[in-house]
Coordinates of all heavy atoms in Angstrom, one line a residue:
G256 N -6.3 -42.3 -67.4 CA -5.9 -41.6 -68.6 C -6.9 -41.3 -69.6 O -6.7 -41.1 -70.8
R257 N -8.2 -41.4 -69.2 CA -9.3 -41.2 -70.1 C -10.1 -39.9 -69.7 O -11.3 -39.8 -70.0 CB -10.3 -42.4 -70.1 CG -9.6 -43.6 -70.6 CD -10.6 -44.8 -70.6 NE -10.8 -45.3 -69.3 CZ -11.9 -45.1 -68.6 NH1 -12.8 -44.3 -69.0 NH2 -12.0 -45.6 -67.4
G258 N -9.5 -38.9 -69.1 CA -10.1 -37.8 -68.6 C -10.8 -36.9 -69.7 O -11.9 -36.5 -69.5
E259 N -10.1 -36.7 -70.8 CA -10.7 -35.9 -71.9 C -12.0 -36.5 -72.4 O -13.0 -35.8 -72.6 CB -9.7 -35.7 -73.0 CG -8.5 -34.9 -72.6 CD -8.7 -33.4 -72.8 OE1 -9.9 -33.0 -73.2 OE2 -7.8 -32.6 -72.5
A260 N -12.0 -37.8 -72.6 CA -13.2 -38.5 -73.2 C -14.3 -38.4 -72.2 O -15.5 -38.1 -72.6 CB -12.9 -39.9 -73.5
E261 N -14.0 -38.6 -70.9 CA -15.1 -38.5 -69.9 C -15.6 -37.1 -69.7 O -16.8 -36.9 -69.5 CB -14.6 -39.1 -68.6 CG -15.6 -39.2 -67.5 CD -16.7 -40.3 -67.8 OE1 -16.7 -40.9 -68.9 OE2 -17.5 -40.5 -66.9
L262 N -14.7 -36.1 -69.9 CA -15.1 -34.7 -69.8 C -16.2 -34.4 -70.9 O -17.1 -33.6 -70.6 CB -13.9 -33.8 -69.9 CG -14.3 -32.3 -69.7 CD1 -14.8 -32.0 -68.3 CD2 -13.1 -31.4 -70.0
A263 N -16.0 -35.0 -72.0 CA -16.9 -34.7 -73.1 C -18.3 -35.2 -72.7 O -19.3 -34.6 -73.1 CB -16.4 -35.4 -74.4
R264 N -18.4 -36.3 -72.1 CA -19.7 -36.8 -71.6 C -20.3 -35.9 -70.6 O -21.5 -35.6 -70.7 CB -19.5 -38.2 -71.0 CG -20.8 -38.9 -70.7 CD -20.6 -40.4 -70.3 NE -20.0 -40.5 -69.0 CZ -20.7 -40.5 -67.8 NH1 -22.0 -40.5 -67.9 NH2 -20.1 -40.7 -66.7
F265 N -19.5 -35.4 -69.7 CA -20.0 -34.4 -68.7 C -20.4 -33.1 -69.4 O -21.4 -32.5 -69.0 CB -19.0 -34.2 -67.6 CG -19.0 -35.2 -66.5 CD1 -18.5 -36.5 -66.7 CD2 -19.5 -34.9 -65.3 CE1 -18.5 -37.4 -65.7 CE2 -19.5 -35.8 -64.2 CZ -19.0 -37.1 -64.4
A266 N -19.7 -32.7 -70.4 CA -20.0 -31.5 -71.1 C -21.3 -31.6 -71.8 O -22.1 -30.6 -71.8 CB -18.9 -31.2 -72.1
A267 N -21.7 -32.7 -72.3 CA -23.0 -32.9 -73.0 C -24.1 -32.7 -72.0 O -25.1 -32.1 -72.3 CB -23.1 -34.3 -73.6
A268 N -23.9 -33.2 -70.8 CA -24.9 -33.1 -69.7 C -25.0 -31.6 -69.3 O -26.1 -31.1 -69.1 CB -24.6 -34.0 -68.5
A269 N -23.9 -31.0 -69.2 CA -23.9 -29.6 -68.8 C -24.5 -28.7 -69.8 O -25.3 -27.7 -69.5 CB -22.4 -29.1 -68.5
E270 N -24.3 -28.9 -71.1 CA -24.9 -28.2 -72.2 C -26.4 -28.3 -72.2 O -27.1 -27.3 -72.3 CB -24.3 -28.6 -73.5 CG -22.8 -28.2 -73.7 CD -22.6 -26.7 -74.0 OE1 -23.5 -25.9 -73.9 OE2 -21.4 -26.4 -74.3
L271 N -26.9 -29.5 -72.0 CA -28.3 -29.8 -71.9 C -28.9 -29.0 -70.7 O -30.0 -28.4 -70.9 CB -28.6 -31.2 -71.9 CG -30.1 -31.6 -71.8 CD1 -30.9 -31.0 -72.9 CD2 -30.3 -33.1 -71.6
A272 N -28.3 -29.1 -69.6 CA -28.8 -28.5 -68.4 C -28.9 -27.0 -68.6 O -29.9 -26.3 -68.3 CB -27.9 -28.8 -67.2
H273 N -27.9 -26.4 -69.2 CA -27.9 -25.0 -69.5 C -29.0 -24.6 -70.5 O -29.8 -23.6 -70.2 CB -26.6 -24.6 -70.1 CG -26.5 -23.1 -70.4 ND1 -26.4 -22.1 -69.5 CD2 -26.5 -22.5 -71.7 CE1 -26.3 -20.9 -70.1 NE2 -26.4 -21.1 -71.4
D274 N -29.2 -25.4 -71.5 CA -30.3 -25.2 -72.4 C -31.7 -25.3 -71.8 O -32.6 -24.6 -72.2 CB -30.2 -26.2 -73.6 CG -29.0 -26.0 -74.5 OD1 -28.4 -24.9 -74.4 OD2 -28.7 -26.9 -75.3
L275 N -31.8 -26.1 -70.7 CA -33.1 -26.3 -70.0 C -33.2 -25.3 -68.9 O -34.2 -25.3 -68.2 CB -33.2 -27.7 -69.5 CG -33.2 -28.8 -70.5 CD1 -33.2 -30.2 -69.8 CD2 -34.4 -28.7 -71.4
G276 N -32.3 -24.4 -68.7 CA -32.4 -23.3 -67.7 C -31.9 -23.7 -66.4 O -32.2 -23.1 -65.4
L277 N -31.1 -24.8 -66.3 CA -30.6 -25.3 -65.0 C -29.1 -24.8 -64.8 O -28.3 -24.8 -65.7 CB -30.6 -26.8 -64.9 CG -32.0 -27.5 -65.1 CD1 -31.8 -29.0 -65.1 CD2 -32.9 -27.1 -63.9
G278 N -28.8 -24.4 -63.6 CA -27.4 -24.2 -63.2 C -26.7 -25.5 -63.1 O -27.3 -26.5 -62.9
V279 N -25.3 -25.4 -63.1 CA -24.5 -26.6 -63.1 C -23.5 -26.6 -62.0 O -22.6 -25.7 -62.0 CB -23.8 -26.9 -64.4 CG1 -22.9 -28.1 -64.4 CG2 -24.8 -27.0 -65.6
N280 N -23.7 -27.5 -61.0 CA -22.7 -27.7 -59.9 C -22.0 -29.0 -60.1 O -22.5 -29.9 -60.9 CB -23.3 -27.6 -58.5 CG -24.0 -26.3 -58.2 OD1 -23.7 -25.3 -58.9 ND2 -24.9 -26.3 -57.2
A281 N -21.0 -29.3 -59.4 CA -20.3 -30.6 -59.5 C -19.6 -30.9 -58.3 O -19.1 -30.0 -57.5 CB -19.4 -30.6 -60.7
G282 N -19.4 -32.2 -58.0 CA -18.6 -32.6 -56.8 C -18.5 -34.1 -56.6 O -19.4 -34.8 -57.1
H283 N -17.5 -34.5 -56.0 CA -17.1 -35.8 -55.5 C -15.8 -36.3 -56.2 O -15.8 -36.5 -57.4 CB -18.2 -36.9 -55.8 CG -18.2 -38.0 -54.8 ND1 -18.9 -37.9 -53.6 CD2 -17.7 -39.2 -54.8 CE1 -18.7 -39.0 -52.9 NE2 -18.0 -39.8 -53.6
D284 N -14.8 -36.4 -55.4 CA -13.5 -36.9 -55.8 C -12.8 -35.9 -56.7 O -11.8 -36.3 -57.4 CB -13.6 -38.3 -56.4 CG -13.7 -39.4 -55.4 OD1 -13.7 -39.0 -54.2 OD2 -13.8 -40.5 -55.7
L285 N -13.1 -34.7 -56.8 CA -12.3 -33.7 -57.5 C -11.2 -33.3 -56.6 O -11.3 -33.1 -55.4 CB -13.2 -32.4 -57.8 CG -14.3 -32.7 -58.8 CD1 -15.2 -31.4 -58.9 CD2 -13.8 -33.1 -60.1
D286 N -10.0 -33.1 -57.2 CA -8.8 -32.8 -56.5 C -7.9 -31.9 -57.3 O -8.2 -31.5 -58.4 CB -8.1 -34.0 -56.0 CG -7.6 -35.0 -57.1 OD1 -7.4 -34.5 -58.2 OD2 -7.5 -36.2 -56.8
L287 N -6.7 -31.6 -56.8 CA -5.8 -30.7 -57.5 C -5.2 -31.3 -58.8 O -4.8 -30.5 -59.6 CB -4.7 -30.2 -56.5 CG -5.0 -29.3 -55.4 CD1 -3.8 -29.0 -54.5 CD2 -5.6 -28.0 -55.9
D288 N -5.3 -32.6 -58.9 CA -4.8 -33.2 -60.1 C -5.8 -33.2 -61.2 O -5.5 -32.8 -62.4 CB -4.4 -34.7 -59.8 CG -3.2 -34.8 -58.9 OD1 -2.3 -33.9 -59.0 OD2 -3.1 -35.8 -58.1
N289 N -7.1 -33.5 -60.9 CA -8.1 -33.6 -62.0 C -8.9 -32.3 -62.2 O -9.5 -32.1 -63.2 CB -9.0 -34.8 -61.8 CG -9.7 -34.8 -60.4 OD1 -10.2 -33.7 -60.0 ND2 -9.8 -35.9 -59.8
L290 N -8.9 -31.4 -61.2 CA -9.7 -30.2 -61.3 C -9.3 -29.3 -62.4 O -10.1 -28.6 -63.0 CB -9.7 -29.4 -60.0 CG -10.6 -28.2 -59.8 CD1 -12.1 -28.7 -60.1 CD2 -10.5 -27.6 -58.5

């Protein structure tokens, strides 16, 4: 039940990656419920 809060942490990493010129992929345990 803490998906929104954890997504914010991932978003910070994705934003920094984008700012540094890196593309962003993701994977492991993603499914139709959490995707």
Side-chain angles (χ1 to χ4, degrees):
R257 296 182 286 102
E259 290 278 0
E261 187 68 354
L262 183 65
R264 187 172 71 88
F265 275 75
E270 292 284 8
L271 176 60
H273 180 72
D274 290 345
L275 295 177
L277 301 173
V279 179
N280 299 342
H283 210 84
D284 283 358
L285 295 175
D286 59 27
L287 289 175
D288 292 327
N289 59 41
L290 187 59

